Amino acid sequence: MKRQNMLAVGLLTFSVMAAGIVMPIAADTAYAAETYRNGAVVPSSEASAVREAARKKSLSAYYITSGKKFDSAVAVLRSIDPEASGLDPSGQYSFRMDKTLTGDYFYHVKAFLPDSSTAVGDYLLAKDDSCVFRRFPGENRTELLMGATDKLMEKVEIYALYRKIPMESASKVFVRVPGNIPYTLTLTSLDENIIRIDADQSGQPLLYGIARGKADVLAEVTIGEFSKTKKVNYIVMDEKDMEREENRSSGRGFPIGIGIGIGFGRGHHHGHGGGIVIGI
């Protein structure tokens, strides 16, 4: 009896296996229900199902679609004037919020039409509830929808990445703003005998070294109704200074010494964005 039972079990197992070979599981259920595995090799006929599984997995890994913070953000967007937000009060939308803060300051939320991957709204909401911006990616435009920018200005960084400017060359003041929010930059040279402020062909403000010495530049960043000002220090070097600097960096010389420029001057120019050193 035992042998007969074992034989029956074996025949049943073989029958199930054979049935699986003759009648494979439908493609739309084989991989759609399977968790995406990075680097897995699958038949190309199943690629679309695997792609969809990967997309769904990424949504849960990188985005938030429920919870207290999510609901609060959506409520704020729904409360804004529809003409400004672009959201129809009676419209049905699906929202998605990044898990990671943008610029360590903004919640990034996008609105989508139902069953669509095309965004109809792109928003930045300050984590301190001080302001809300709407971004227009296709138009390279950002608008303040709600609140004020005083708290945002506290997060703005103004600095000189390259403080040493070769004479008759130029540099820029660098500005970092959370979320890459557009800003206006005004520069004032506190010693125009050493550094002159001018603009390039695109209107970007530049610092031109016109004489050997040290000089301060007053940088003023404005977003909305608030501004932040910082004094940035620069050194303008002639060819001899550059040679000494090169020798020092290679261990063949001594630190350079530059006298302080005498004089006072002012000059105002406006622009947008930071940049890289030019002419070094």
Side-chain angles (χ1 to χ4, degrees), residues 23 73 75 102 132 146 169 202 217:
M23 297 178 292
T102 297
V132 177
M146 179 177 149
S169 295
S202 63
V217 171

Side-chain angles (χ1 to χ4, degrees), residues 66-81:
S66 63
K68 185 177 180 180
K69 289 182 180 179
F70 173 84
D71 293 340
S72 176
V74 172
V76 168
L77 293 177
R78 288 287 196 180
S79 70
I80 297 174
D81 181 1

Side-chain angles (χ1 to χ4, degrees), residues 20-273:
I21 294 173
V22 175
M23 297 178 292
I25 300 174
D28 58 350
T29 60
Y31 290 99
E34 183 177 328
T35 302
Y36 167 72
R37 291 177 296 171
N38 189 34
V41 177
V42 300
S44 54
S45 60
E46 313 297 348
S48 60
V50 173
R51 191 183 310 120
E52 179 64 16
R55 190 187 69 81
K56 290 181 178 179
K57 186 173 183 178
S58 70
L59 288 177
S60 62
Y62 302 111
Y63 304 105
I64 299 172
T65 56
S66 63
K68 185 177 180 180
K69 289 182 180 179
F70 173 84
D71 293 340
S72 176
V74 172
V76 168
L77 293 177
R78 288 287 196 180
S79 70
I80 297 174
D81 181 1
E83 291 189 6
S85 69
L87 299 175
D88 186 344
S90 60
Q92 298 296 318
Y93 303 99
S94 61
F95 293 86
R96 190 173 74 193
M97 183 167 73
D98 293 0
K99 283 188 175 182
T100 303
L101 288 173
T102 297
D104 197 32
Y105 185 68
F106 286 110
Y107 293 114
H108 181 210
V109 181
K110 284 187 176 183
F112 301 84
L113 293 175
D115 301 320
S116 172
S117 59
T118 302
V120 295
D122 192 332
Y123 311 93
L124 293 173
L125 296 81
K127 65 180 181 181
D128 54 16
D129 300 323
S130 62
C131 57
V132 177
F133 286 88
R134 181 183 179 186
R135 301 200 297 193
F136 299 79
E139 305 175 31
N140 193 27
R141 178 163 57 100
T142 302
E143 291 183 358
L144 178 64
L145 298 183
M146 179 177 149
T149 58
D150 52 333
K151 297 297 183 182
L152 171 62
M153 295 306 302
E154 295 177 3
K155 305 295 183 180
V156 172
E157 299 177 59
I158 305 170
Y159 61 100
L161 183 59
Y162 302 97
R163 296 185 181 275
K164 298 171 183 177
I165 309 173
M167 202 160 58
E168 299 183 358
S169 295
S171 184
K172 289 187 177 183
V173 170
F174 287 72
V175 180
R176 177 183 289 176
V177 182
N180 293 323
I181 299 298
Y183 58 88
T184 298
L185 174 64
T186 303
L187 301 180
T188 303
S189 174
L190 300 184
D191 190 343
E192 290 190 329
N193 293 319
I194 305 297
I195 292 178
R196 183 184 77 249
I197 306 299
D198 208 339
D200 61 15
Q201 294 180 349
S202 63
Q204 301 298 311
L206 294 175
L207 292 71
Y208 288 92
I210 58 177
R212 180 175 181 267
K214 296 179 181 179
D216 294 328
V217 171
L218 203 62
E220 177 185 328
V221 176
T222 302
I223 302 176
E225 300 298 323
F226 292 89
S227 300
K228 181 176 185 177
T229 302
K230 181 179 180 180
K231 186 166 63 176
V232 187
N233 315 112
Y234 288 91
I235 298 174
V236 179
M237 301 185 293
D238 60 14
E239 292 182 359
K240 189 65 174 177
D241 294 325
M242 294 295 293
E243 181 183 359
R244 290 176 178 174
E245 179 73 3
E246 183 178 352
N247 289 337
R248 184 184 70 164
S249 62
S250 61
R252 299 194 301 268
F254 300 94
I256 62 174
I258 294 182
I260 298 177
I262 300 175
F264 181 82
R266 294 181 63 83
H268 299 274
H269 294 268
H270 298 268
H272 299 271

